[in-house]
Amino acid sequence: MEIQDKMIEATKEIFSSMVMMEVSVNKIMEEHGPLTDTITGMIGLAGTHKGILAVHFPYSVAMAITSSFLMMDVEEVNEDVHDAVGEIANMLGGNVKTILSEKGRDIDLSLPSTISGSQYNFQSDKQVEKVIIEFGTGNGTFMVEMDLET
Amino acid sequence: MGENVLLVDDSSTMRKIVGRSLRQAGLDFDNIFEAADGVEALEVLESESVDIVLSDINMPNMDGISFLREKSTRDGIKDIPVFMISTETGDDIIGEAKSLGAIGAMKKPFTPDKVNEVLGPLM
């Protein structure tokens, strides 16, 4: 299965089983512009495959997702939102690792981290192959991005 | 059920969701203790009565594998069963966890039905 298809499958599974939200693919992209009022969760891969798996949520989508995830009202981008976004990146990273490494010891995952801001660029200074998938929710769109060193 | 469970995960979101999934699966506990890493988990095990531990693997300070290794050296707590709940479900990692005493593993993400199916028989 292509990594792109697995990323789509994993994202849909995470959202339907744990966030209690259905998501659909809007489009596949190779680039995206500066991120605005967004929170990014990311996890690094090291070993036979090196790169980063990231999820980019506009604030409004991140709050809606966290609210659904935790079954409580969320009205600001607080610690819960950062934690939830980091955990979504962590679960996606684990799934991607499973595709790239059957045994599990030839690729190491970093701990998840998050960044957020009113406007920032998310890009690698290495030569990478990018897969970016935009998903739609009832509350807006978000992106899942995989950058693997070539 | 008259049992106490310890949830070990660096994500507070995930600890809440695992606790909620246990309740949704009909697996009620007298007490649900929480720890953010292996170091905190060992402290809880040394100070509270815990019947089963549900632990992540990929955590800061002391990860799930190191936690199992350290726990296995402590007489008072080494026999408390540990079940792994993690995104890390490769054969090598789960094999290592089981060699250190883990009684099983479940992959994130999961549904309450899966929690009931996998953990129900253990509790």
Side-chain angles (χ1 to χ4, degrees), chain B residues 23-94:
Chain B
R23 288 189 292 274
Q24 287 176 337
L27 304 171
D28 289 325
F29 292 88
D30 283 351
N31 293 293
I32 297 181
F33 300 106
E34 296 187 17
D37 56 40
V39 174
E40 287 187 13
L42 290 167
E43 289 173 1
V44 174
L45 292 181
E46 295 284 8
S47 61
E48 303 289 349
S49 173
V50 172
D51 297 290
I52 188 167
V53 182
L54 307 181
S55 178
D56 189 14
I57 292 177
N58 197 14
M59 297 182 289
N61 301 324
M62 181 186 285
D63 66 19
I65 297 295
S66 300
F67 162 64
L68 286 167
R69 187 173 292 115
E70 176 61 28
K71 175 180 158 293
S72 70
T73 68
R74 301 193 184 188
D75 284 341
I77 61 173
K78 66 181 181 184
D79 293 329
I80 298 171
V82 181
F83 189 91
M84 314 311 287
I85 300 179
S86 178
T87 61
E88 298 266 3
T89 52
D91 292 344
D92 286 2
I93 293 172
I94 297 307

Side-chain angles (χ1 to χ4, degrees), chain A residues 13-77:
Chain A
E13 183 189 6
I14 289 165
F15 274 78
S16 66
S17 63
M18 301 202 72
V19 184
M20 307 303 173
M21 186 182 280
E22 299 301 322
V23 300
S24 57
V25 176
N26 278 1
K27 57 186 172 184
I28 312 291
M29 304 180 291
E30 293 182 353
E31 295 290 341
H32 59 71
L35 300 164
T36 304
D37 291 335
T38 294
I39 176 169
T40 293
M42 59 194 141
I43 190 159
L45 289 82
T48 54
H49 292 75
K50 298 181 182 66
I52 197 157
L53 188 291
V55 285
H56 309 293
F57 295 103
Y59 287 159
S60 59
V61 179
M63 288 188 285
I65 285 168
T66 306
S67 180
S68 184
F69 216 173
L70 294 177
M71 293 186 175
M72 63 184 216
D73 290 337
V74 176
E75 293 173 351
E76 59 178 338
V77 178

Side-chain angles (χ1 to χ4, degrees), chain B residues 1-14:
Chain B
M1 300 185 85
E3 290 195 345
N4 298 330
V5 62
L6 168 61
L7 308 181
V8 190
D9 199 306
D10 55 319
S11 166
S12 60
T13 299
M14 192 50 62

